[in-house]
Amino acid sequence: MSGQKVSDYIVERLAGFGVERIYAVVGDSLNPITDAVRRSDGKLGWLHVRHEEAGAFAAGAEAQVTGKLAVCAGSAGPGNLHLINGLYDAHGSGAPVLAIASHINTAEIGSEFHQETHPEQLFQECSHWCELVATPEQLPRALHIAMQTAMAKRGVSVLVLPGDVAGATLPNDGWRSHIAVSRPLVRPTDADLRTLAGLIDGATKPVLFCGAGAGEARELVLKLAARIKAPLGYSFRGKEHFHTPNEFDAGMSGLLGFGAAYQAMHEADLLILLGTDFPYRDFLPDGVRVAQLDLEGERLGRRVPLELGLVGDVAETLRVLLPLIGEKDDSSFLERQRKHHEREVEKLQVYVDHVARQHPVHPEYVAATLDRLARDDAIFTVDTGMTTVWGARYLHGSDGRRILGSFKHGSMANALPQAIGAQCAEPDRQVISMSGDGGLTMLLGDMITLAQEDLPVKVLIFNNGVLGMVRLEMQVAGLPDFQTELHPVDFAAIAEAVGIKGIRVERHEDVEDGLRDLLAAKGPAVCDVATDPEALSLPPNVTFDQVKGFARTAVKKSLNGHIDEVWEQAKTNIRNVPRP
Ligand SMILES: Cc1ncc(C[n+]2csc(CCOP(=O)(O)OP(=O)(O)O)c2C)c(N)n1
């Protein structure tokens, strides 16, 4: 239909593809799009965030929850520049997101015009496709390619759209092509599968280690574990699928890990990596034979040398592989790892039990209580920082639960905006943001978005008054902590001031009631828990160097007259020291 406005065409195409909203802040060159959304009579919505970064995080979360394309936008220059951190996160998470980076008028490009940046250069690294649309004629096909690429490659596309192009009229009928959303069924060749089956049949101590890419194959992975009597460990992105009650659970590996996964992987004679790009080489074993299966071939062998690398979808591959593998009858290795895992999980309870007399509140107890009270289909978003640790250790997955975080990009401030996107996608589900006080305050303005957009997100704040994770890093490195303190804030009072129910908890005995109130609230609510700034989480496998680091810090602090701090930390964490 030539004669249609470019902006109307974009709205029509997005809505027609099932996009429900654009997360954005209005502004100048973006106005034609904004106005087309207004005129669309609700076919496409506008989710008004306070900061474009929040919009990009929200779009990334929506896409992760639905598997469908989600859209965010920013106005020229600073407006779209604000998207960048959230787009890196979405791209790293494999979330299909289209970002509309509105741009100055074409006639001004290259003249150092007001608000001029070069988004087509800026967003290259965090996208699969990023192009400037220079004419209205180019737009329909460019939009199609952007959407198709985001869906096919599972990541970000950036459409750089000058305001004059957005406001122009289409000289052609557009480009109404089908967009393919399903992924092909990919599996290794029969010969490769026979090689893998041979490796597995020859192993006496096989171990499975799974990432997000194995999530959809959960039932088949459990079948494989049962057939070959293999303990099953997972990465943080795999946890939501595999940290569910099952007899093969060996826990999570990595700095935030727990349970027997690390030990099992190091004692294995065959490690099978399924759909994981787990990056921490220090936690992967040396000298163990490794087979890796991943849909993305470039991931094979880049973290650990492989005996065999295979390209394939995990479910599709296991379906064909399982009949080729013999059943093992010796489960002694699995049993040993299971016992070890049980002991390790019991140790974690030490942080949760017998807390009644402890002050300030233990964050571990807060996380464990939330895990117990939250629904079986809740969506949790966890902030980067110590909150990630509490989420990793104390949240359980279930068939219906989701756990989102900035697991690859590792950005602070992710939890609240991701909760916004998750709640928009799933208005009837319980969505809980587990926020750090540092993380939350980075995008605090978007707490108001919950009230403005009437999103019933529940925000649980681990308010420890410090940038805790970095403080811990400094201590591990043997440095006295510096610039990690945060000015005390009563977030419950702030919530109330912006029209959100606010609950403040300062004592252990009030944690459960506080969380019950939070979860029972009809609309958005905030529960601000004053947690122990000294709580530290020792990695599951503490190295000698790390212990030396702590000791050095303690000595330096004592020499500087801070013996009281050393004493406080020792007192709080004595419970963390593994007992013989
Ligand atoms: C945007 C960004 N800035 C800085 C960092 C480095 N960093 C990682 S965790 C962290 C501290 C987080 O503090 P807070 O949100 O209060 O949570 P806590 O660790 O105290 O639980 C910092 C500064 C980061 N990952 N992302």
Side-chain angles (χ1 to χ4, degrees):
M1 191 183 24
S2 65
Q4 188 179 19
K5 283 187 154 194
V6 165
S7 53
D8 289 332
Y9 174 83
I10 292 174
V11 168
E12 178 211 303
R13 286 294 285 153
L14 293 179
F17 189 54
V19 173
E20 293 190 22
R21 61 193 64 79
I22 301 180
Y23 298 91
V25 178
V26 297
D28 46 73
S29 51
L30 194 56
N31 286 344
I33 300 285
T34 314
D35 197 51
V37 170
R38 179 183 66 78
R39 285 184 280 101
S40 76
D41 281 339
K43 286 194 192 75
L44 189 64
W46 186 278
L47 201 294
H48 178 168
V49 286
R50 296 292 173 126
H51 190 304
E52 292 85 351
E53 178 175 325
F57 269 121
E62 179 184 312
Q64 288 177 71
V65 168
T66 62
K68 298 199 298 194
L69 185 74
V71 180
C72 57
S75 57
N80 68 57
L81 195 60
H82 265 181
L83 295 169
I84 198 159
N85 199 42
L87 290 185
Y88 264 90
D89 186 77
H91 197 54
S93 308
V97 167
L98 170 69
I100 301 175
S102 186
H103 196 25
I104 58 171
N105 285 348
T106 43
E108 304 298 345
I109 293 174
S111 70
E112 296 190 17
F113 193 64
H114 175 61
Q115 294 191 324
E116 180 165 2
T117 60
H118 293 88
E120 71 284 8
Q121 292 173 21
L122 284 166
F123 296 106
Q124 281 297 337
E125 198 182 85
C126 61
S127 63
H128 290 300
W129 186 93
C130 175
E131 298 288 346
L132 170 71
V133 180
T135 65
E137 188 183 11
Q138 183 193 347
L139 182 277
R141 243 171 2 117
L143 178 63
H144 169 81
I145 298 168
M147 293 163 75
Q148 180 62 80
T149 306
M151 291 312 300
K153 294 198 167 169
R154 296 293 194 270
V156 170
S157 286
V158 182
L159 190 80
V160 181
L161 188 64
D164 56 321
V165 177
T169 301
L170 274 185
N172 53 32
D173 286 344
W175 188 268
R176 288 176 175 75
S177 168
H178 171 247
I179 294 174
V181 295
S182 53
R183 305 195 95 182
L185 301 179
V186 178
R187 68 161 177 87
T189 62
D190 290 347
D192 278 346
L193 284 177
R194 278 196 297 276
T195 309
L196 178 57
L199 277 177
I200 295 175
D201 282 342
T204 54
K205 295 181 290 178
V207 170
L208 303 175
F209 188 73
C210 300
E216 282 178 16
R218 183 171 171 272
E219 292 309 316
L220 289 160
V221 172
L222 291 176
K223 259 193 191 160
L224 174 64
R227 181 156 313 167
I228 65 174
K229 312 291 183 283
L232 190 164
Y234 35 85
S235 65
F236 206 158
R237 295 191 67 210
K239 174 189 156 84
E240 62 175 342
H241 309 286
F242 295 101
H243 190 197
T244 57
N246 74 74
E247 54 191 305
F248 312 101
D249 188 358
M252 194 176 120
S253 188
L255 255 183
L256 315 182
F258 63 90
Y262 179 90
Q263 176 183 304
M265 281 156 85
H266 283 73
E267 290 181 11
D269 64 354
L270 177 66
L271 173 62
I272 305 166
L273 302 175
L274 297 175
T276 177
D277 191 30
F278 181 77
Y280 306 106
R281 290 194 289 133
D282 286 349
F283 289 85
L284 290 166
D286 272 338
V288 170
R289 290 195 300 173
V290 181
Q292 181 177 7
L293 171 68
D294 204 295
L295 194 52
E296 317 295 340
E298 69 272 20
R299 292 183 181 155
L300 299 176
R302 70 179 175 187
R303 311 292 182 195
V304 67
L306 302 180
E307 180 91 7
L308 180 66
L310 299 174
V311 177
D313 170 73
V314 177
E316 205 45 35
T317 304
L318 293 191
R319 222 168 265 134
V320 189
L321 179 74
L322 274 164
L324 306 178
I325 297 173
E327 170 116 25
K328 294 195 192 297
D329 38 43
D330 180 2
S331 57
S332 55
F333 177 66
L334 173 62
E335 286 308 322
R336 190 149 51 81
Q337 300 304 335
R338 187 152 58 198
K339 289 214 177 81
H340 178 65
H341 182 66
E342 276 164 16
R343 281 198 304 275
E344 290 297 311
V345 169
E346 249 170 52
K347 275 188 213 159
L348 289 181
Q349 271 310 108
V350 175
Y351 305 73
V352 173
D353 295 340
H354 316 299
V355 293
R357 285 181 302 116
Q358 300 287 348
H359 187 79
V361 175
H362 289 175
E364 301 94 330
Y365 172 65
V366 179
T369 308
L370 176 68
D371 181 57
R372 182 160 51 79
L373 298 180
R375 286 193 200 142
D376 263 355
D377 68 344
I379 302 175
F380 301 88
T381 59
V382 291
D383 249 347
T384 297
M386 297 303 277
T387 311
T388 329
V389 186
W390 316 138
R393 304 244 169 106
Y394 295 98
L395 291 182
H396 286 79
S398 78
D399 275 346
R401 279 187 176 181
R402 294 295 314 264
I403 305 174
L404 306 182
S406 184
F407 298 141
K408 184 150 185 200
H409 186 49
S411 173
M412 284 169 73
N414 58 295
L416 173 70
Q418 287 181 324
I420 289 174
Q423 191 78 77
C424 286
E426 297 276 2
D428 298 327
R429 266 168 87 173
Q430 187 176 62
V431 177
I432 304 162
S433 169
M434 293 170 66
S435 300
D437 47 347
L440 184 75
T441 45
M442 267 187 184
L443 288 175
L444 188 61
D446 273 286
M447 198 159 98
I448 306 169
T449 304
L450 303 183
Q452 181 157 330
E453 299 286 337
D454 197 19
L455 294 166
V457 169
K458 312 296 180 251
V459 185
L460 168 60
I461 305 163
F462 291 76
N463 188 353
N464 59 3
V466 288
L467 297 169
M469 172 69 99
V470 175
R471 194 161 87 141
L472 182 60
E473 281 168 9
M474 289 177 176
Q475 290 168 343
V476 167
L479 303 166
D481 53 84
F482 179 62
Q483 292 296 335
T484 57
E485 303 255 308
L486 294 169
H487 182 75
V489 176
D490 180 345
F491 290 102
I494 293 184
E496 290 285 343
V498 298
I500 294 173
K501 181 182 171 73
I503 303 155
R504 170 93 179 158
V505 171
E506 295 179 358
R507 301 179 316 166
H508 270 104
E509 49 271 42
D510 298 329
V511 167
E512 178 146 351
D513 284 349
L515 291 181
R516 283 188 191 282
D517 283 355
L518 173 77
L519 298 179
K522 269 212 155 2
V526 163
C527 182
D528 177 24
V529 186
T531 53
D532 188 351
E534 305 296 346
L536 56 84
S537 92
L538 295 179
N541 305 285
V542 190
T543 66
F544 182 61
D545 280 349
Q546 287 170 326
V547 174
K548 271 198 314 202
F550 274 113
R552 270 203 305 275
T553 303
V555 171
K556 277 184 203 164
K557 275 188 174 172
S558 316
L559 291 176
N560 290 337
H562 295 287
I563 189 71
D564 50 336
E565 278 182 37
V566 177
W567 170 238
E568 267 312 309
Q569 193 164 40
K571 216 170 56 177
T572 321
N573 289 289
I574 195 76
R575 64 205 157 95
N576 296 15
V577 177
R579 286 171 294 187

